[in-house]
Amino acid sequence: MENHMDILDETTEHIPWQRLTTAYGRGTDIPRLIETRQYKALAELIEHQSTLWQVTPWVLRELLRDLKRRAASPANITLDEIELYIAVASSFSGQQIGSGPGGEMRMNELLDEGYLWPEDEEEDELQWEEEEPPGYGPEPFFGYYYFSYLLLKQAEPVFATILNSNQELAPAIRELQSLLHEAAAD
């Protein structure tokens, strides 16, 4: 975990949202949903039935960066946003996050060409029928969980600030903290 201590602040030149998958297709609409803070819609795309998707760590990184900036005014943080983080953290149950994917994988490697879907969306259904669709081999798939977990863990000080400043969100923040603590123990 020490090798990944800076992933919340890592820079990525370009996230190819349209070449990453969600629970319901491609991530083309993700930037607009992030910009307009449509947390419920985002939650449905990045987590479904305890499954995380290619877009999940990237959405979390963008949202958590914004949350870090807004934490000084926790009255502007909504329950929908915290529930998005809870949905992701709930998916860690029984995953044995441990030391992460094999080797020294970095989060940016999840955007390597071999893991991305083709530019053309016409054959997406055929891609899903393959034994191992692009980006869903064991190592990258586990990486979506691992890096999502690390991002949420790195944001714990931000969540603590919100907990101490916004009593309305305190129960949800405590639930999130509990889920992250359980994931660390698994």
Side-chain angles (χ1 to χ4, degrees), residues 83-128:
E83 286 176 344
L84 175 145
Y85 305 131
I86 289 170
V88 172
S90 295
S91 72
F92 302 145
S93 179
Q95 291 294 327
Q96 297 183 339
I97 300 294
S99 62
E104 294 295 319
M105 180 181 245
R106 310 255 335 139
M107 188 168 151
N108 284 337
E109 289 177 51
L110 295 174
L111 297 178
D112 285 354
E113 186 63 35
Y115 299 145
L116 299 177
W117 284 58
E119 295 276 345
D120 185 4
E121 297 180 33
E122 277 186 38
E123 297 186 17
D124 279 6
E125 282 188 43
L126 294 174
Q127 294 283 345
W128 282 117

Side-chain angles (χ1 to χ4, degrees), residues 22-24 43-53 56 86-93 95 141 145:
T22 73
Y24 297 102
E44 291 174 7
L45 295 175
I46 68 172
E47 183 278 335
H48 179 69
Q49 296 180 346
S50 294
T51 300
L52 301 184
W53 301 86
T56 306
I86 289 170
V88 172
S90 295
S91 72
F92 302 145
S93 179
Q95 291 294 327
F141 186 65
Y145 287 82

